[in-house]
Amino acid sequence: MDVLTAMDLLKKKGFKYTDKRRDLLQLFSDEKRYLSAKEVQDALKENYPGLSFDTIYRNLSTFSELDILEETELEGEKKFRFTCPTKEHHHHLICLKCGKTKEINACPMENVATDLSDFQVTGHKFEIYGVCQVCVN
C-alpha cells in the first residue's frame, strides 16, 4: 500500500480527502513499521496541535477496516502499519524495540497435525517477536 493508493481508496469509499489523512498515511509510508495511535499523535502534533487521540484512533480503525492498514497487538497496545504489498500468504517477524517488520514466507498452519474436521478455520495470524539486528547493537 502507498499513500496515493490509500487516498484513492478512501475517496472511492466516500471519505473526504484531507491533509490530515494524507499526512497520517505519509507517516506510515515513511516509518515502515508498526505505530501506536500515541506515536501517530506525537508525530503529527507539531502540524496539527489540536488533533485528538480519538480522531486519530477512529481514522486508524477505518483504515484498518478498509485494508489500508493492518493491525497487531504488542504489549497490550494496538499498533498499525501499511498493509503489505505482498499478496502471497506470509507472516512477520516484529522487532519489539523499533517496530520494524520482516516478512517470512513460512506458515506454521502447514504443520498443524491436529484434526480440524469439526472446526472451520476462517483465518489465522502468526507473528514472531524479537529484537532486530539494528536494535541489538
Side-chain angles (χ1 to χ4, degrees):
M1 185 64 65
D2 60 57
V3 176
L4 193 56
T5 304
M7 292 304 292
D8 285 344
L9 179 59
L10 285 169
K11 186 176 179 181
K12 287 178 187 172
K13 296 291 184 175
F15 293 91
K16 290 181 186 176
Y17 179 101
T18 67
D19 290 341
K20 288 178 190 174
R21 284 189 175 129
R22 186 201 61 232
D23 290 350
L24 192 153
L25 291 168
Q26 187 63 53
L27 175 65
F28 282 96
S29 179
D30 294 344
E31 290 289 327
K32 297 181 180 16
R33 65 185 181 99
Y34 280 101
L35 298 169
S36 68
K38 178 70 173 130
E39 289 172 310
V40 171
Q41 185 177 37
D42 289 345
L44 297 178
K45 70 181 172 189
E46 187 175 318
N47 291 335
Y48 304 103
L51 187 58
S52 75
F53 183 83
D54 289 342
T55 298
I56 291 168
Y57 200 83
R58 217 175 12 260
N59 275 281
L60 294 175
S61 295
T62 297
F63 297 164
S64 181
E65 289 170 14
L66 296 174
D67 289 327
I68 292 169
L69 298 179
E70 56 188 53
E71 61 184 76
T72 194
E73 189 170 316
L74 296 173
E75 299 173 347
E77 182 177 28
K78 275 193 180 184
K79 296 205 176 189
F80 303 84
R81 66 170 282 210
F82 260 132
T83 299
C84 290
T86 305
K87 298 299 179 201
E88 291 82 32
H89 182 76
H90 67 280
H91 297 282
H92 295 115
L93 296 168
I94 303 171
C95 179
L96 293 171
K97 289 192 176 185
C98 70
K100 292 196 178 184
T101 63
K102 180 178 179 181
E103 293 178 15
I104 53 174
N105 293 317
C107 180
M109 286 298 289
E110 298 166 0
N111 299 319
V112 174
T114 305
D115 177 14
L116 300 175
S117 62
D118 61 341
F119 191 84
Q120 182 179 1
V121 176
T122 59
H124 69 278
K125 187 173 188 175
F126 180 70
E127 298 171 331
I128 300 173
Y129 307 104
V131 181
C132 72
Q133 204 58 43
V134 174
C135 291
V136 167
N137 298 327

PDB file of all heavy atoms in Angstrom, residues 107-130:
ATOM      1  N   CYS A 107       4.746 -20.874   6.877  1.00  0.00           N
ATOM      2  CA  CYS A 107       3.458 -20.822   7.569  1.00  0.00           C
ATOM      3  C   CYS A 107       3.318 -22.051   8.466  1.00  0.00           C
ATOM      4  O   CYS A 107       3.354 -23.186   7.976  1.00  0.00           O
ATOM      5  CB  CYS A 107       2.302 -20.779   6.575  1.00  0.00           C
ATOM      6  SG  CYS A 107       0.699 -20.714   7.394  1.00  0.00           S
ATOM      7  N   PRO A 108       3.129 -21.831   9.762  1.00  0.00           N
ATOM      8  CA  PRO A 108       3.009 -22.970  10.680  1.00  0.00           C
ATOM      9  C   PRO A 108       1.733 -23.780  10.481  1.00  0.00           C
ATOM     10  O   PRO A 108       1.660 -24.927  10.914  1.00  0.00           O
ATOM     11  CB  PRO A 108       3.031 -22.320  12.059  1.00  0.00           C
ATOM     12  CG  PRO A 108       2.529 -20.938  11.828  1.00  0.00           C
ATOM     13  CD  PRO A 108       3.017 -20.556  10.461  1.00  0.00           C
ATOM     14  N   MET A 109       0.744 -23.229   9.837  1.00  0.00           N
ATOM     15  CA  MET A 109      -0.514 -23.962   9.628  1.00  0.00           C
ATOM     16  C   MET A 109      -0.281 -25.206   8.780  1.00  0.00           C
ATOM     17  O   MET A 109      -1.013 -26.189   8.896  1.00  0.00           O
ATOM     18  CB  MET A 109      -1.571 -23.073   8.963  1.00  0.00           C
ATOM     19  CG  MET A 109      -2.163 -22.038   9.882  1.00  0.00           C
ATOM     20  SD  MET A 109      -3.033 -22.737  11.300  1.00  0.00           S
ATOM     21  CE  MET A 109      -4.487 -23.417  10.519  1.00  0.00           C
ATOM     22  N   GLU A 110       0.745 -25.180   7.945  1.00  0.00           N
ATOM     23  CA  GLU A 110       1.056 -26.345   7.121  1.00  0.00           C
ATOM     24  C   GLU A 110       1.481 -27.530   7.985  1.00  0.00           C
ATOM     25  O   GLU A 110       1.398 -28.678   7.562  1.00  0.00           O
ATOM     26  CB  GLU A 110       2.165 -25.996   6.124  1.00  0.00           C
ATOM     27  CG  GLU A 110       1.763 -24.907   5.154  1.00  0.00           C
ATOM     28  CD  GLU A 110       2.934 -24.308   4.390  1.00  0.00           C
ATOM     29  OE1 GLU A 110       4.090 -24.748   4.607  1.00  0.00           O
ATOM     30  OE2 GLU A 110       2.691 -23.403   3.581  1.00  0.00           O
ATOM     31  N   ASN A 111       1.941 -27.245   9.202  1.00  0.00           N
ATOM     32  CA  ASN A 111       2.446 -28.290  10.087  1.00  0.00           C
ATOM     33  C   ASN A 111       1.487 -28.647  11.221  1.00  0.00           C
ATOM     34  O   ASN A 111       1.850 -29.434  12.091  1.00  0.00           O
ATOM     35  CB  ASN A 111       3.790 -27.859  10.677  1.00  0.00           C
ATOM     36  CG  ASN A 111       4.827 -27.639   9.603  1.00  0.00           C
ATOM     37  OD1 ASN A 111       4.907 -28.411   8.655  1.00  0.00           O
ATOM     38  ND2 ASN A 111       5.594 -26.579   9.724  1.00  0.00           N
ATOM     39  N   VAL A 112       0.297 -28.061  11.212  1.00  0.00           N
ATOM     40  CA  VAL A 112      -0.666 -28.368  12.263  1.00  0.00           C
ATOM     41  C   VAL A 112      -1.190 -29.777  12.037  1.00  0.00           C
ATOM     42  O   VAL A 112      -1.824 -30.066  11.025  1.00  0.00           O
ATOM     43  CB  VAL A 112      -1.828 -27.343  12.286  1.00  0.00           C
ATOM     44  CG1 VAL A 112      -2.900 -27.759  13.276  1.00  0.00           C
ATOM     45  CG2 VAL A 112      -1.297 -25.961  12.617  1.00  0.00           C
ATOM     46  N   ALA A 113      -0.895 -30.643  12.998  1.00  0.00           N
ATOM     47  CA  ALA A 113      -1.268 -32.054  12.857  1.00  0.00           C
ATOM     48  C   ALA A 113      -2.589 -32.368  13.536  1.00  0.00           C
ATOM     49  O   ALA A 113      -3.043 -33.496  13.525  1.00  0.00           O
ATOM     50  CB  ALA A 113      -0.157 -32.933  13.429  1.00  0.00           C
ATOM     51  N   THR A 114      -3.219 -31.375  14.109  1.00  0.00           N
ATOM     52  CA  THR A 114      -4.471 -31.574  14.824  1.00  0.00           C
ATOM     53  C   THR A 114      -5.611 -31.847  13.845  1.00  0.00           C
ATOM     54  O   THR A 114      -5.664 -31.274  12.769  1.00  0.00           O
ATOM     55  CB  THR A 114      -4.803 -30.299  15.639  1.00  0.00           C
ATOM     56  OG1 THR A 114      -3.691 -30.003  16.467  1.00  0.00           O
ATOM     57  CG2 THR A 114      -6.041 -30.474  16.476  1.00  0.00           C
ATOM     58  N   ASP A 115      -6.527 -32.694  14.256  1.00  0.00           N
ATOM     59  CA  ASP A 115      -7.718 -32.969  13.451  1.00  0.00           C
ATOM     60  C   ASP A 115      -8.646 -31.760  13.550  1.00  0.00           C
ATOM     61  O   ASP A 115      -9.176 -31.468  14.621  1.00  0.00           O
ATOM     62  CB  ASP A 115      -8.409 -34.227  13.960  1.00  0.00           C
ATOM     63  CG  ASP A 115      -9.696 -34.528  13.196  1.00  0.00           C
ATOM     64  OD1 ASP A 115      -9.921 -33.928  12.122  1.00  0.00           O
ATOM     65  OD2 ASP A 115     -10.472 -35.360  13.686  1.00  0.00           O
ATOM     66  N   LEU A 116      -8.837 -31.071  12.462  1.00  0.00           N
ATOM     67  CA  LEU A 116      -9.693 -29.882  12.439  1.00  0.00           C
ATOM     68  C   LEU A 116     -11.028 -30.150  11.746  1.00  0.00           C
ATOM     69  O   LEU A 116     -11.718 -29.222  11.345  1.00  0.00           O
ATOM     70  CB  LEU A 116      -8.965 -28.737  11.720  1.00  0.00           C
ATOM     71  CG  LEU A 116      -7.638 -28.289  12.334  1.00  0.00           C
ATOM     72  CD1 LEU A 116      -6.968 -27.237  11.464  1.00  0.00           C
ATOM     73  CD2 LEU A 116      -7.847 -27.755  13.739  1.00  0.00           C
ATOM     74  N   SER A 117     -11.411 -31.407  11.641  1.00  0.00           N
ATOM     75  CA  SER A 117     -12.623 -31.754  10.909  1.00  0.00           C
ATOM     76  C   SER A 117     -13.891 -31.176  11.537  1.00  0.00           C
ATOM     77  O   SER A 117     -14.880 -30.970  10.843  1.00  0.00           O
ATOM     78  CB  SER A 117     -12.753 -33.270  10.765  1.00  0.00           C
ATOM     79  OG  SER A 117     -12.863 -33.860  12.044  1.00  0.00           O
ATOM     80  N   ASP A 118     -13.871 -30.886  12.836  1.00  0.00           N
ATOM     81  CA  ASP A 118     -15.061 -30.334  13.479  1.00  0.00           C
ATOM     82  C   ASP A 118     -14.941 -28.823  13.706  1.00  0.00           C
ATOM     83  O   ASP A 118     -15.673 -28.243  14.505  1.00  0.00           O
ATOM     84  CB  ASP A 118     -15.321 -31.044  14.815  1.00  0.00           C
ATOM     85  CG  ASP A 118     -14.181 -30.882  15.803  1.00  0.00           C
ATOM     86  OD1 ASP A 118     -13.066 -30.540  15.373  1.00  0.00           O
ATOM     87  OD2 ASP A 118     -14.406 -31.101  17.005  1.00  0.00           O
ATOM     88  N   PHE A 119     -14.032 -28.191  12.979  1.00  0.00           N
ATOM     89  CA  PHE A 119     -13.796 -26.751  13.137  1.00  0.00           C
ATOM     90  C   PHE A 119     -13.489 -26.151  11.776  1.00  0.00           C
ATOM     91  O   PHE A 119     -12.619 -26.638  11.054  1.00  0.00           O
ATOM     92  CB  PHE A 119     -12.618 -26.523  14.092  1.00  0.00           C
ATOM     93  CG  PHE A 119     -12.464 -25.095  14.533  1.00  0.00           C
ATOM     94  CD1 PHE A 119     -13.195 -24.603  15.606  1.00  0.00           C
ATOM     95  CD2 PHE A 119     -11.607 -24.239  13.873  1.00  0.00           C
ATOM     96  CE1 PHE A 119     -13.062 -23.292  16.014  1.00  0.00           C
ATOM     97  CE2 PHE A 119     -11.459 -22.921  14.272  1.00  0.00           C
ATOM     98  CZ  PHE A 119     -12.192 -22.451  15.347  1.00  0.00           C
ATOM     99  N   GLN A 120     -14.225 -25.113  11.413  1.00  0.00           N
ATOM    100  CA  GLN A 120     -13.979 -24.452  10.136  1.00  0.00           C
ATOM    101  C   GLN A 120     -13.035 -23.267  10.356  1.00  0.00           C
ATOM    102  O   GLN A 120     -13.412 -22.259  10.947  1.00  0.00           O
ATOM    103  CB  GLN A 120     -15.287 -23.948   9.520  1.00  0.00           C
ATOM    104  CG  GLN A 120     -15.081 -23.306   8.174  1.00  0.00           C
ATOM    105  CD  GLN A 120     -16.381 -22.826   7.557  1.00  0.00           C
ATOM    106  OE1 GLN A 120     -17.444 -22.951   8.146  1.00  0.00           O
ATOM    107  NE2 GLN A 120     -16.288 -22.273   6.377  1.00  0.00           N
ATOM    108  N   VAL A 121     -11.807 -23.399   9.900  1.00  0.00           N
ATOM    109  CA  VAL A 121     -10.810 -22.342  10.036  1.00  0.00           C
ATOM    110  C   VAL A 121     -11.112 -21.265   8.996  1.00  0.00           C
ATOM    111  O   VAL A 121     -11.236 -21.547   7.810  1.00  0.00           O
ATOM    112  CB  VAL A 121      -9.376 -22.895   9.833  1.00  0.00           C
ATOM    113  CG1 VAL A 121      -8.357 -21.765   9.889  1.00  0.00           C
ATOM    114  CG2 VAL A 121      -9.065 -23.961  10.873  1.00  0.00           C
ATOM    115  N   THR A 122     -11.244 -20.024   9.460  1.00  0.00           N
ATOM    116  CA  THR A 122     -11.528 -18.908   8.544  1.00  0.00           C
ATOM    117  C   THR A 122     -10.335 -17.965   8.391  1.00  0.00           C
ATOM    118  O   THR A 122     -10.356 -17.063   7.572  1.00  0.00           O
ATOM    119  CB  THR A 122     -12.740 -18.097   9.037  1.00  0.00           C
ATOM    120  OG1 THR A 122     -12.459 -17.605  10.348  1.00  0.00           O
ATOM    121  CG2 THR A 122     -14.000 -18.950   9.044  1.00  0.00           C
ATOM    122  N   GLY A 123      -9.315 -18.198   9.173  1.00  0.00           N
ATOM    123  CA  GLY A 123      -8.114 -17.377   9.070  1.00  0.00           C
ATOM    124  C   GLY A 123      -7.187 -17.659  10.225  1.00  0.00           C
ATOM    125  O   GLY A 123      -7.544 -18.368  11.167  1.00  0.00           O
ATOM    126  N   HIS A 124      -5.996 -17.107  10.138  1.00  0.00           N
ATOM    127  CA  HIS A 124      -5.031 -17.251  11.220  1.00  0.00           C
ATOM    128  C   HIS A 124      -3.995 -16.136  11.116  1.00  0.00           C
ATOM    129  O   HIS A 124      -3.880 -15.468  10.089  1.00  0.00           O
ATOM    130  CB  HIS A 124      -4.368 -18.627  11.201  1.00  0.00           C
ATOM    131  CG  HIS A 124      -3.456 -18.822  10.028  1.00  0.00           C
ATOM    132  ND1 HIS A 124      -3.923 -19.173   8.796  1.00  0.00           N
ATOM    133  CD2 HIS A 124      -2.123 -18.693   9.911  1.00  0.00           C
ATOM    134  CE1 HIS A 124      -2.896 -19.269   7.953  1.00  0.00           C
ATOM    135  NE2 HIS A 124      -1.789 -18.974   8.609  1.00  0.00           N
ATOM    136  N   LYS A 125      -3.270 -15.964  12.205  1.00  0.00           N
ATOM    137  CA  LYS A 125      -2.237 -14.936  12.253  1.00  0.00           C
ATOM    138  C   LYS A 125      -1.061 -15.514  13.022  1.00  0.00           C
ATOM    139  O   LYS A 125      -1.251 -16.126  14.078  1.00  0.00           O
ATOM    140  CB  LYS A 125      -2.782 -13.694  12.961  1.00  0.00           C
ATOM    141  CG  LYS A 125      -1.874 -12.514  12.942  1.00  0.00           C
ATOM    142  CD  LYS A 125      -2.608 -11.316  13.531  1.00  0.00           C
ATOM    143  CE  LYS A 125      -1.787 -10.067  13.347  1.00  0.00           C
ATOM    144  NZ  LYS A 125      -2.511  -8.893  13.803  1.00  0.00           N
ATOM    145  N   PHE A 126       0.124 -15.335  12.489  1.00  0.00           N
ATOM    146  CA  PHE A 126       1.322 -15.845  13.129  1.00  0.00           C
ATOM    147  C   PHE A 126       2.376 -14.763  13.083  1.00  0.00           C
ATOM    148  O   PHE A 126       2.704 -14.258  12.015  1.00  0.00           O
ATOM    149  CB  PHE A 126       1.796 -17.105  12.387  1.00  0.00           C
ATOM    150  CG  PHE A 126       3.044 -17.712  12.965  1.00  0.00           C
ATOM    151  CD1 PHE A 126       3.024 -18.340  14.193  1.00  0.00           C
ATOM    152  CD2 PHE A 126       4.234 -17.672  12.255  1.00  0.00           C
ATOM    153  CE1 PHE A 126       4.168 -18.910  14.722  1.00  0.00           C
ATOM    154  CE2 PHE A 126       5.382 -18.241  12.772  1.00  0.00           C
ATOM    155  CZ  PHE A 126       5.349 -18.864  14.005  1.00  0.00           C
ATOM    156  N   GLU A 127       2.885 -14.385  14.259  1.00  0.00           N
ATOM    157  CA  GLU A 127       3.910 -13.357  14.355  1.00  0.00           C
ATOM    158  C   GLU A 127       5.011 -13.847  15.284  1.00  0.00           C
ATOM    159  O   GLU A 127       4.735 -14.503  16.286  1.00  0.00           O
ATOM    160  CB  GLU A 127       3.333 -12.055  14.911  1.00  0.00           C
ATOM    161  CG  GLU A 127       2.254 -11.458  14.027  1.00  0.00           C
ATOM    162  CD  GLU A 127       1.526 -10.285  14.658  1.00  0.00           C
ATOM    163  OE1 GLU A 127       1.424 -10.235  15.902  1.00  0.00           O
ATOM    164  OE2 GLU A 127       1.049  -9.432  13.900  1.00  0.00           O
ATOM    165  N   ILE A 128       6.231 -13.510  14.931  1.00  0.00           N
ATOM    166  CA  ILE A 128       7.375 -13.836  15.771  1.00  0.00           C
ATOM    167  C   ILE A 128       7.946 -12.519  16.275  1.00  0.00           C
ATOM    168  O   ILE A 128       8.198 -11.600  15.494  1.00  0.00           O
ATOM    169  CB  ILE A 128       8.445 -14.618  14.988  1.00  0.00           C
ATOM    170  CG1 ILE A 128       7.865 -15.930  14.451  1.00  0.00           C
ATOM    171  CG2 ILE A 128       9.662 -14.877  15.876  1.00  0.00           C
ATOM    172  CD1 ILE A 128       8.790 -16.684  13.536  1.00  0.00           C
ATOM    173  N   TYR A 129       8.121 -12.414  17.591  1.00  0.00           N
ATOM    174  CA  TYR A 129       8.618 -11.193  18.205  1.00  0.00           C
ATOM    175  C   TYR A 129      10.062 -11.365  18.638  1.00  0.00           C
ATOM    176  O   TYR A 129      10.463 -12.445  19.064  1.00  0.00           O
ATOM    177  CB  TYR A 129       7.759 -10.821  19.424  1.00  0.00           C
ATOM    178  CG  TYR A 129       6.290 -10.764  19.104  1.00  0.00           C
ATOM    179  CD1 TYR A 129       5.433 -11.782  19.499  1.00  0.00           C
ATOM    180  CD2 TYR A 129       5.766  -9.701  18.388  1.00  0.00           C
ATOM    181  CE1 TYR A 129       4.086 -11.734  19.195  1.00  0.00           C
ATOM    182  CE2 TYR A 129       4.426  -9.647  18.071  1.00  0.00           C
ATOM    183  CZ  TYR A 129       3.583 -10.670  18.482  1.00  0.00           C
ATOM    184  OH  TYR A 129       2.255 -10.603  18.172  1.00  0.00           O
ATOM    185  N   GLY A 130      10.814 -10.308  18.542  1.00  0.00           N
ATOM    186  CA  GLY A 130      12.204 -10.338  18.959  1.00  0.00           C
ATOM    187  C   GLY A 130      12.810  -8.957  18.820  1.00  0.00           C
ATOM    188  O   GLY A 130      12.109  -7.950  18.843  1.00  0.00           O
TER     189      GLY A 130
END
